[in-house]
Amino acid sequence: MKRRLTYLAILLFCTSAFAIDLQQAKAQGLVGEANNGYLAALAPSPSAEVRQLIQTVNSERKESYQRIAVSNGLTLTEVSRLAYKKAIEKTESGHFYQSPSGLWVKK
């Protein structure tokens, strides 16, 4: 039993060690800042790992946007638009963001 638990712990550690993070995904051109204030895949068929990353980041962002909206008397859409503008400012050179018209731009 102890050996199984050790094996399981090693397996879980290895899986998380290989998981891609947001900055790596941006640097590799896999994701970018979409014009709606959320993260989006650049490829039409992203890997499961990239899809999971996008889902996690966007879920966290939505929760944060909702808190900001409620505390400031704004709508979720208004907050996400403001976040989009901030995201463009913070986007590093070589990373992608989506223009207001929907085109992907490399900064």
Side-chain angles (χ1 to χ4, degrees):
M1 183 65 161
K2 186 175 182 181
R3 188 184 321 188
R4 286 184 190 170
L5 290 175
T6 302
Y7 177 73
L8 181 60
I10 291 170
L11 182 62
L12 290 173
F13 174 77
C14 290
T15 302
S16 64
F18 289 102
I20 192 166
D21 71 17
L22 179 57
Q23 290 307 313
Q24 291 171 331
K26 285 182 174 184
Q28 293 175 28
L30 300 173
V31 299
E33 295 293 338
N35 61 11
N36 61 2
Y38 293 94
L39 194 64
L42 296 172
S45 300
S47 69
E49 187 176 29
V50 170
R51 284 193 311 271
Q52 181 61 48
L53 173 68
I54 291 169
Q55 181 181 12
T56 300
V57 169
N58 287 344
S59 176
E60 291 171 3
R61 285 184 182 186
K62 187 173 183 177
E63 287 177 21
S64 178
Y65 296 171
Q66 189 64 49
R67 282 192 304 273
I68 293 168
V70 168
S71 66
N72 291 285
L74 300 170
T75 67
L76 187 60
T77 301
E78 289 170 323
V79 174
S80 65
R81 284 185 189 144
L82 292 170
Y84 164 68
K85 290 177 184 177
K86 278 285 197 199
I88 290 174
E89 292 172 11
K90 291 182 177 184
T91 296
E92 294 180 21
S93 180
H95 294 186
F96 288 87
Y97 68 91
Q98 193 176 33
S99 71
S101 65
L103 298 175
W104 286 102
V105 179
K106 189 173 189 178
K107 190 169 185 183

